[in-house]
Amino acid sequence: MQQNLSKEGYTVITAEKGMEGLELFTEEQPDIVLLDIHLPDISGINVLEGIRKENPNAVVIMVTAFGDIETAVTTIKFGAFDFVEKPFNLEKLKLLIAKAVETCSLRREVSQFRSQLSIKYGFSNIIGKSGQMQKILELTKKVAKSDATTILLQGESGTGKDLIAKVIHYESRRASKPFIDINCTALPETLIESELFGYEKGAFTDAKLMKKGLFELADGGTIFLDEIGDMKLSTQAKLLKIIENKTFKRISGVKDISVDLRVVASTNKNLAEEVKKQNFREDLYYRLKVIPIFLPLLRDRSDDILPLANFFIDGFNREFKKDVKGLSEETEKAFLKYPWPGNIRELKNVIERAMILENEEYILPEHLPGEFSSGELISANMVNTPVTIPPGGFDIEEMEKNLIKQALEQTKWNQTRAAKLLNLTRDALRYRMQKFGFLQEKN
Ligand SMILES: Nc1ncnc2c1ncn2[C@@H]1O[C@H](COP(=O)(O)OP(=O)(O)OP(=O)(O)O)[C@@H](O)[C@H]1O
Ligand SMILES: [Mg+2]
């Protein structure tokens, strides 16, 4: 073997005994090991276990005596890549080694990729100076290290649900296992079950082969059910069963398949409301809500705005090879006043845009999109001609209607900006629009 494989260009080192082999393995860290089962000192299976512990990416090919197939099959369970029988066929061995080389570089790539992800999704990448975020960080740390299996993340769009879900995974003992992200909105009703649970061969006309579902593929890791509020009631029932029993069946399967999973669900809907409206199962809601994490709006944690902005500037400096120093003082003020309807995602996009389009040392107000330049908010008693109620009385509703109409016209019916002009929340504006009949008018 040594001669033949050296001729092929491989560097080959050999050991005559099991212990010696293990020591050599630790010193030399080879990519591929050819390992006999019957060794003079310890069993090849023990050596295999030692190697797997030292480096799970190493590819081990067992070498067995003719007729010892049963033992060889057992070694596969212990993590051997494949086996060759003695006396071996050289051509087959070369092919097997070529395959092993490929597997080895794939394994290396995967583990590199995983470690990059765990750097990207570590606790240090969650920025949050505000009291609310400090509490959430503390909770996230506890939850990541715990064995808690269901976590519910709630918060409006762009508040960081995805990020927190990934950090919980990559900071847990599950980090080396899959993180499977399922967008419940994007999955069509007809596919959801076969995607989640898999199916047996012949389950339906197109099912030519058995297919594992995402729940099975995520075994040992984390399933992230994004936008769970959009999941159909029938699927919710099945999901609840999996969470409770930790087992399920493939479509048209009889065997119960058990999985070790953590389920992280997220939604930007108010699930309690959805339960009341009977769009969401109450039992599933309570099951998910064992550990609830609620992400506040960015405007309600304004202490985080500037640290987040600087964090994104650092990131884009690296990405775009720029050297932007920060926000100008004026920009800081504008950032702190702006209501951030798109939350952290909007903040990140505003910074990205400014850094792509502009080349100044600091991000200036003129680098920001139009929403920022609407000027100072004026409170009613600063208006030049405050209204004095005439003796005959004054219709306050008429004035309100007039102001709402003006704000809508000035902003070309952009409700977010119109609400901002009037220092109202978007909901409060919409309520008034409804009241004065502007909603119907617009539609
Ligand atoms: N606390 C934070 N620190 C640093 N970056 C953050 C933080 N929160 C969110 N981000 C970043 O902001 C962007 C939007 O966050 P994310 O995708 O997690 O929001 P989401 O709540 O899942 O939004 P949606 O409901 O729209 O899916 C991402 O790029 C994310 O990395
Ligand atoms: Mg998301």
Side-chain angles (χ1 to χ4, degrees):
M1 271 187 186
Q2 181 180 27
Q3 282 174 5
N4 280 300
L5 293 176
S6 298
K7 261 190 243 155
E8 290 292 303
Y10 296 109
T11 309
V12 186
I13 45 175
T14 58
E16 280 174 29
K17 290 184 180 168
M19 284 311 290
E20 188 191 343
L22 263 180
E23 275 164 32
L24 258 181
F25 181 82
T26 315
E27 281 166 24
E28 303 285 337
Q29 295 287 332
D31 292 328
I32 298 165
V33 179
L34 286 156
L35 177 62
D36 210 317
I37 295 180
H38 299 288
L39 298 168
D41 51 352
I42 54 175
S43 136
I45 296 184
N46 295 126
V47 179
L48 172 63
E49 284 178 314
I51 289 176
R52 300 278 303 163
K53 216 180 273 168
E54 172 72 22
N55 177 8
N57 289 339
V59 176
V60 183
I61 298 169
M62 303 306 287
V63 183
T64 75
F66 176 71
D68 199 6
I69 299 286
E70 227 163 278
T71 328
V73 172
T74 334
T75 63
I76 303 282
K77 287 198 191 121
F78 284 97
F81 175 65
D82 208 336
F83 55 87
V84 284
E85 276 180 88
K86 284 188 290 195
F88 55 88
N89 169 322
L90 192 60
E91 287 315 306
K92 261 196 193 160
L93 179 68
K94 283 186 201 162
L95 271 179
L96 190 55
I97 292 198
K99 224 170 73 185
V101 169
E102 202 181 306
T103 302
C104 191
S105 70
L106 279 177
R107 285 185 188 173
R108 202 176 297 135
E109 247 172 69
V110 168
S111 69
Q112 257 171 15
F113 190 56
R114 284 223 168 95
S115 68
Q116 278 168 6
L117 282 178
S118 62
I119 294 170
K120 191 163 166 207
Y121 296 116
F123 290 125
S124 56
N125 285 300
I126 304 178
I127 304 303
K129 253 183 69 182
S130 62
Q132 298 105 301
M133 275 313 285
Q134 285 294 319
K135 278 202 195 119
I136 288 172
L137 257 173
E138 219 173 278
L139 180 60
T140 307
K141 282 184 183 163
K142 274 192 205 145
V143 166
K145 298 285 175 243
S146 78
D147 276 328
T149 50
T150 51
I151 295 153
L152 178 62
L153 295 168
Q154 287 177 273
E156 280 194 18
S157 184
T159 48
K161 301 183 294 294
D162 268 66
L163 176 67
I164 301 274
K166 288 185 180 132
V167 171
I168 288 177
H169 174 75
Y170 287 104
E171 291 279 7
S172 76
R173 66 169 173 86
R174 298 171 179 275
S176 63
K177 294 286 166 60
F179 174 87
I180 293 194
D181 186 340
I182 302 172
N183 185 325
C184 302
T185 316
L187 265 183
E189 172 78 353
T190 46
L191 278 185
I192 198 158
E193 282 187 26
S194 61
E195 285 293 315
L196 297 185
F197 310 119
Y199 48 78
E200 295 294 342
K201 185 175 161 182
F204 36 85
T205 339
D206 286 343
K208 301 253 183 317
L209 291 171
M210 179 277 278
K211 185 172 170 243
K212 288 185 179 179
L214 295 173
F215 276 103
E216 208 169 334
L217 293 172
D219 192 18
T222 306
I223 281 268
F224 178 44
L225 296 169
D226 204 2
E227 302 307 345
I228 192 151
D230 292 337
M231 190 181 259
K232 294 285 168 335
L233 282 163
S234 55
T235 321
Q236 290 175 25
K238 299 211 165 89
L239 175 64
L240 179 68
K241 249 178 77 187
I242 297 187
I243 297 179
E244 304 227 293
N245 307 331
K246 301 190 166 50
T247 64
F248 62 94
K249 293 184 173 73
R250 296 190 194 119
I251 297 177
S252 93
V254 282
K255 195 175 67 181
D256 274 318
I257 295 169
S258 57
V259 280
D260 162 28
L261 281 182
R262 167 179 272 167
V263 176
V264 180
S266 93
T267 177
N268 57 19
K269 291 190 175 163
N270 183 334
L271 273 196
E273 285 293 316
E274 297 301 305
V275 168
K276 269 191 213 144
K277 287 193 237 155
Q278 305 203 324
N279 292 331
F280 203 84
R281 288 182 66 108
E282 190 172 15
D283 43 11
L284 179 59
Y285 173 59
Y286 283 107
R287 193 67 193 74
L288 291 173
K289 213 175 72 118
V290 176
I291 301 188
I293 299 181
F294 192 85
L295 290 161
L297 296 173
L298 181 57
R299 65 167 164 276
D300 292 337
R301 40 168 152 145
S302 51
D303 286 352
D304 291 341
I305 294 175
L306 301 182
L308 275 165
N310 290 323
F311 174 77
F312 293 135
I313 291 174
D314 282 348
F316 289 124
N317 269 337
R318 258 174 278 132
E319 193 176 329
F320 304 148
K321 310 214 166 15
K322 291 208 171 183
D323 191 22
V324 173
K325 302 268 186 298
L327 306 177
S328 76
E329 222 171 284
E330 285 298 298
T331 310
E332 285 191 352
K333 277 189 201 148
F335 269 31
L336 290 172
K337 225 174 53 192
Y338 184 67
W340 300 109
N343 295 295
I344 300 169
R345 177 172 303 112
E346 185 182 10
L347 173 64
K348 189 174 175 182
N349 291 345
V350 165
I351 294 203
E352 181 175 13
R353 175 180 181 275
M355 286 178 63
I356 290 174
L357 297 179
E358 310 294 338
N359 260 322
E360 310 273 342
E361 249 191 316
Y362 289 89
I363 296 181
L364 305 172
E366 54 262 42
H367 302 157
L368 307 179
E371 297 88 285
F372 285 84
S373 50
S374 45
E376 291 286 309
L377 177 74
I378 298 192
S379 79
N381 52 15
M382 283 161 65
V383 183
N384 294 342
T385 50
V387 186
T388 312
I389 303 174
F394 176 82
D395 189 336
I396 194 166
E397 291 250 316
E398 270 304 311
M399 182 171 79
E400 199 182 343
K401 184 173 176 183
N402 181 298
L403 288 172
I404 301 263
K405 186 152 180 254
Q406 276 190 51
L408 286 166
E409 280 168 1
Q410 276 183 29
T411 58
K412 301 200 175 65
W413 291 77
N414 178 324
Q415 294 179 12
T416 307
R417 283 166 55 204
K420 204 190 140 216
L421 273 185
L422 296 168
N423 200 23
L424 292 174
T425 64
R426 196 164 163 275
D427 282 344
L429 174 74
R430 283 184 63 85
Y431 167 78
R432 287 170 173 79
M433 286 171 70
Q434 178 95 46
K435 186 166 80 173
F436 299 127
F438 292 145
L439 273 181
Q440 291 88 318
E441 197 169 299
K442 186 60 193 158
N443 297 335

